């Protein structure tokens, strides 16, 4: 539809452009395009076009401060007519453009005139985009499908529920862009925040933080024990749009959500923005509050006061996976692909209740030193459950250790069907296989002189060596004994003791303030 401007008439070809950009499900009237892909508009000038005398410049700006964030690639179509002033322009937002709403303007004859408002989204159809997903069936499932399935229950009785993601419902573009603006980093430095929206890693963390509400009055308020009288019972929700619309119009967190509701809402936002996303359920999911990769339960000995623990194992927990490249972790694409993002407020990450993106490949390989929040997610699917007996003197005796309880039947909806897809193998190696985390190894060496009756005569040497036990490998360690000290003792028997212990914590600490760690 043509729009009459000061010196020309504009046709945005919104319906055609949106169809070619896979956004016609959102709107056929508002121009919504994907980065890295050309779109076409027509300018009809009132006078012939002479580019040498009066060049024409197209400008795109975004943000409250109208920040110019990228240089548009603009080409004049061969069917244009300079003599009649009809210009058919092909415009391509770069594949690294920040997503969001843009003001498009034209500068001609020394005057700048606003053309239109358009929205730019991530483009999983574009090989140059960092969210590129090669398989068309997967793009249809993880970007375009508005209906899905979320799994709940227990590892031995899995139930499913339908979820209406509704990412293309009315108003979803405004709502999702408002979520990006509600980010605390946007309040601190709008220009830096808007510029960072070129990166799906950054956008994923922002959405993960804003979908919950403990620290920023985001979309959903969680409640796990009732009462629910002043809100909606979490099990009564069946879709995202009602929740998002209520938050957008009332400007207050919606009551109440639990993990599957948080995940369903986040999946809707991610798909609207163009990041391939799916909901994942982990049965027997650990919450490792002290980051030691074990779930510790303490039992008091007779007459001893009990000890509390913040660790727990839930029947199930639900998060999302987003598809993106991770050039921040490796140049060879080693950690590209599915990334865990969890909007349920459990632990803080960089001072906010958010989690991820944590590469699923890093979780599988035990690369717990990587960002973001890999140790926490690794423990959710791999932690050992350890029972301790607390003695009267405060010492702890290990009673039992269960290595198989946590992380079972990790599930998501299959592509193109309503069947359940088990993806446990993408998160963890088969139980009984080698450990995939390097762990500290402590070796204690003790040499004693012994009397004829077997009692110690003197300590000759005590040494503690610290080594690292690499996953799937055997290690050897060498030491030395000072035999000169042997000759000073009038004994002919010596006792050499060696003992070793392997720590349950990973060798590599997580860099930076992750999940509340200093």
């Amino acid at each position: 539809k043509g729009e009459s401007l000061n010196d020309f008439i504009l046709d945005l070809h919104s319906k055609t452009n949106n169809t070619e950009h896979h956004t016609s499900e959102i709107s056929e009237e508002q121009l919504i395009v994907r980065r890295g892909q050309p779109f076409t508009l027509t300018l009809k000038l009132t006078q012939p076009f002479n580019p040498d005398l009066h060049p024409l410049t197209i400008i795109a700006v975004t943000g409250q401060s109208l920040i110019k964030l990228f240089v548009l690639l603009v080409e004049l179509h061969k069917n244009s007519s300079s003599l009649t002033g009809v210009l058919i322009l092909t415009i391509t937002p770069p594949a690294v453009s920040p997503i969001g709403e843009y003001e498009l303007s034209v500068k001609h004859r020394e005057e700048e005139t606003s053309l239109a408002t358009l929205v730019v989204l991530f483009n999983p159809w574009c090989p140059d985009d960092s969210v590129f997903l090669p398989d068309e069936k997967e793009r249809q499932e993880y970007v375009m499908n508005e209906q899905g399935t979320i799994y709940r229950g227990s590892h031995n009785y899995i139930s499913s529920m339908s979820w209406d993601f509704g990412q293309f419902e009315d108003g979803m573009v405004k709502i999702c862009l408002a979520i990006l603006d509600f980010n605390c980093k946007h309040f601190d430095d709008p220009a830096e925040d808007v510029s960072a929206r070129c990166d799906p890693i950054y956008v994923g963390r922002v959405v993960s933080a804003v979908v919950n509400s403990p620290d920023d009055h985001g979309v959903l308020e969680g409640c796990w024990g009732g009462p629910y009288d002043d809100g909606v019972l979490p099990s009564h929700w069946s879709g995202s749009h009602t929740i998002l619309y209520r938050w957008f119009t009332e400007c207050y967190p919606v009551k109440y959500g639990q993990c599957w509701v948080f995940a369903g809402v986040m999946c809707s936002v991610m798909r609207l923005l163009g990041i391939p996303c799916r909901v994942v359920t982990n049965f027997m999911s650990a919450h490792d509050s002290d980051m030691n990769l074990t779930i510790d339960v303490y039992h008091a000995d007779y007459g001893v006061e009990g000890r509390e623990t913040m660790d727990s194992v839930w029947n199930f927990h639900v998060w999302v996976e987003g598809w993106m490249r991770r050039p921040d972790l490796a140049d060879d694409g080693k950690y590209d692909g599915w990334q865990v993002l969890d909007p349920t407020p459990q632990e803080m990450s960089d001072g906010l209740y958010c989690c991820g993106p944590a590469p699923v490949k890093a979780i599988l390989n035990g690369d717990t030193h990587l960002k973001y929040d890999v140790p926490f997610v690794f423990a959710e699917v791999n932690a050992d459950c350890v029972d301790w007996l607390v003695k009267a003197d405060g010492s702890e005796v290990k009673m039992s250790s269960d290595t198989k309880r946590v992380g079972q039947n990790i599930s998501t909806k299959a592509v193109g069907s309503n069947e359940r897809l088990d993806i446990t193998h993408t998160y963890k190696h088969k139980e009984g296989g080698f450990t995939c985390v390097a762990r500290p190894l402590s070796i204690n060496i003790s040499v004693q002189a012994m009397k004829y009756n077997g009692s110690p005569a003197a300590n000759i040497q005590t040494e503690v060596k610290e080594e690292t036990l690499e996953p799937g490998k055997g290690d050897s360690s060498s030491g030395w004994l000072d035999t000169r000290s042997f000759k000073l003792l009038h004994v002919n028997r010596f006792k050499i003791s060696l003992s070793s212990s392997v720590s349950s914590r990973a060798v590599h600490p997580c860099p930076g303030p992750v999940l509340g760690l200093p």
Side-chain angles (χ1 to χ4, degrees):
K1 184 178 180 180
E3 297 182 25
S4 181
L5 302 172
N6 292 343
D7 297 324
F8 41 77
I9 296 174
L10 171 69
D11 190 345
L12 295 174
H13 304 293
S14 295
K15 184 175 181 179
T16 301
N17 285 322
N18 288 6
T19 299
E20 293 178 353
H21 284 249
H22 309 278
T23 60
S24 58
E25 293 285 342
I26 307 174
S27 174
E28 291 187 348
E29 298 178 356
Q30 181 184 12
L31 182 59
I32 304 172
V33 300
R34 298 188 185 274
R35 61 187 197 172
Q37 182 175 338
F39 64 93
T40 301
L41 56 82
T42 299
L43 285 174
K44 186 174 182 181
L45 306 179
T46 57
Q47 302 177 29
F49 176 57
N50 187 334
D52 297 325
L53 185 60
H54 299 294
L56 184 143
T57 304
I58 302 293
I59 303 167
V61 294
T62 188
Q64 297 175 350
S65 303
L66 297 181
I67 310 157
K68 185 177 180 181
L69 289 173
F70 60 80
V71 177
L72 293 167
L73 175 61
V74 182
E75 297 178 344
L76 196 62
H77 195 275
K78 62 181 181 180
N79 292 334
S80 300
S81 174
S82 298
L83 292 177
T84 61
V86 177
L87 307 181
I88 303 174
L89 303 177
T90 300
I91 302 174
T92 305
V96 294
S97 308
I99 63 165
E101 188 174 75
Y102 285 81
E103 290 293 330
L104 203 63
S105 61
V106 59
K107 187 174 182 181
H108 185 235
R109 294 179 180 270
E110 303 302 322
E111 292 187 4
E112 185 172 329
T113 305
S114 177
L115 287 178
T117 300
L118 76 154
V119 174
V120 178
L121 302 176
F122 290 111
N123 192 353
W125 283 266
C126 175
D128 294 330
D129 198 304
S130 52
V131 301
F132 172 63
L133 185 61
D135 189 281
E136 175 60 22
K137 291 181 179 179
E138 292 185 347
R139 289 194 292 255
Q140 291 300 319
E141 180 68 51
Y142 299 134
V143 180
M144 303 300 293
N145 194 355
E146 293 189 80
Q147 304 300 319
T149 303
I150 299 177
Y151 297 97
R152 300 184 298 170
S154 63
H155 70 284
N156 53 8
Y157 189 80
I158 299 174
S159 62
S160 63
M161 66 173 295
S162 298
W163 191 267
D164 182 6
F165 294 112
Q167 66 266 33
F168 303 139
E169 292 286 342
D170 291 343
M172 281 294 285
V173 171
K174 286 186 177 181
I175 293 171
C176 293
L177 295 183
I179 285 176
L180 298 184
D181 286 344
F182 207 72
N183 157 35
C184 64
K185 294 180 180 179
H186 184 74
F187 297 135
D188 295 337
D189 191 336
E192 182 178 350
D193 170 68
V194 171
S195 299
R197 295 179 189 177
C198 61
D199 186 359
I201 302 169
Y202 177 83
V203 171
R205 283 184 68 77
V206 167
V207 177
S208 171
V210 179
V211 166
N212 64 63
S213 63
D215 48 12
D216 55 13
H217 297 287
V219 175
L220 263 172
E221 181 176 333
C223 185
W224 284 265
Y228 303 100
D229 297 343
D230 58 341
V232 176
L233 195 69
S235 58
H236 285 185
W237 298 113
S238 60
S240 304
H241 183 256
T242 301
I243 296 170
L244 288 163
Y245 183 77
R246 184 176 298 182
W247 171 78
F248 183 70
T249 55
E250 297 179 3
C251 302
Y252 201 80
V254 178
K255 302 178 179 181
Y256 289 101
Q258 291 181 8
C259 61
W260 69 91
V261 186
F262 286 105
V265 170
M266 181 168 182
C267 187
S268 301
V269 176
M270 297 282 277
R271 289 185 181 184
L272 183 280
L273 296 177
I275 302 175
C277 190
R278 63 186 184 184
V279 177
V280 172
T281 303
N282 175 40
F283 291 94
M284 303 305 291
S285 187
H287 183 162
D288 177 25
S289 60
D290 56 7
M291 297 296 293
N292 66 349
L293 301 182
T294 63
I295 302 302
D296 299 301
V297 178
Y298 298 97
H299 307 272
D301 202 357
Y302 182 76
V304 178
E305 186 176 351
R307 182 181 301 178
E308 295 294 328
T309 178
M310 296 299 292
D311 291 349
S312 59
V313 178
W314 294 80
N315 284 346
F316 70 92
H317 182 57
V318 185
W319 56 69
V320 304
E321 290 177 356
W323 181 274
M324 63 192 73
R325 295 177 187 144
R326 292 302 301 270
D328 58 319
L329 300 181
D331 294 331
D332 60 359
K334 179 180 179 181
Y335 299 107
D336 294 354
W338 290 116
Q339 315 285 321
V340 172
L341 290 145
D342 192 349
T344 300
Q346 296 187 89
E347 302 287 345
M348 299 192 97
S349 175
D350 289 340
L352 294 172
Y353 280 104
C354 65
C355 181
V360 174
K361 293 176 182 176
I363 299 163
L364 176 66
N365 296 327
D367 296 330
T368 55
H369 60 290
L370 297 175
K371 59 183 182 182
Y372 292 92
D373 311 309
V374 174
F376 184 75
V377 182
F378 179 87
E380 286 185 299
V381 300
N382 275 299
D384 294 345
C385 296
V386 182
D387 287 89
W388 300 90
L389 178 64
V390 181
K391 307 290 285 185
D393 61 359
S395 63
E396 301 166 3
V397 178
K398 182 184 290 188
M399 300 171 60
S400 64
S401 179
D402 188 342
T403 62
K404 299 182 180 181
R405 181 183 175 194
V406 166
Q408 301 187 39
N409 298 332
I410 303 174
S411 305
T412 190
K413 177 186 174 298
V415 173
S417 79
N418 291 321
E419 297 296 318
R420 182 180 71 88
L421 178 65
D422 193 306
I423 56 173
T424 307
H425 65 282
T426 67
Y427 279 85
K428 56 193 297 186
H429 295 284
K430 186 177 180 180
E431 295 294 346
F434 64 85
T435 179
C436 51
V437 181
R439 298 185 186 275
L441 174 66
S442 181
I443 303 172
N444 298 284
I445 304 171
S446 175
V447 182
Q448 292 178 315
M450 308 298 294
K451 296 179 180 178
Y452 71 95
N453 61 0
S455 61
N459 288 322
I460 298 176
Q461 183 177 342
T462 300
E463 182 182 358
V464 178
K465 298 189 65 176
E466 301 293 340
E467 304 281 352
T468 298
L469 185 62
E470 297 294 338
K473 296 180 180 179
D475 281 336
S476 62
S477 180
S478 60
W480 57 272
L481 298 177
D482 187 359
T483 57
R484 291 174 299 176
S485 60
F486 290 21
K487 300 176 181 179
L488 300 177
L489 298 170
H490 299 287
V491 295
N492 57 8
R493 297 180 62 191
F494 299 92
K495 180 181 179 181
I496 300 176
S497 299
L498 295 173
S499 65
S500 64
S501 62
V502 181
S503 173
S504 59
R505 65 179 178 85
V507 166
H508 305 290
C510 207
V514 178
L515 293 169
L517 288 177

